[in-house]
Amino acid sequence: MCVVCRQMKDKDTLLRAVKNKDGGFSVDPGGKLPGRGAYVCKDGDCISRLEKVRGLERAFKGSVPAEIKEEILSMKK
């Protein structure tokens, strides 16, 4: 489910951000890294709205490094 539009979609149409057990964050394009994941649609609308709706912060219940958000923004189609 996308954290922005809240729609259920196929995993291959979503980008995954991961918070590992040590509290580190990363973008997981393959969807295989261990840890708590949050998904956002690969389309430009959801990625553009990600910061405004604070989707990652809600999903991870805390702050997310700006580098992760910038990396996701750079993947916008």
Side-chain angles (χ1 to χ4, degrees), residues 28-73:
D28 181 17
K32 303 287 184 190
L33 293 175
R36 171 80 169 135
Y39 296 87
V40 63
C41 296
K42 289 181 182 177
D43 70 37
D45 293 336
C46 286
I47 290 176
S48 297
R49 292 180 42 218
L50 182 63
E51 184 68 30
K52 182 179 179 182
V53 300
R54 299 181 48 83
L56 293 178
E57 287 82 356
R58 279 195 334 258
F60 294 126
K61 297 181 177 136
S63 63
V64 176
E67 299 85 34
I68 298 300
K69 295 176 201 172
E70 290 170 9
E71 189 173 345
I72 292 173
L73 283 170

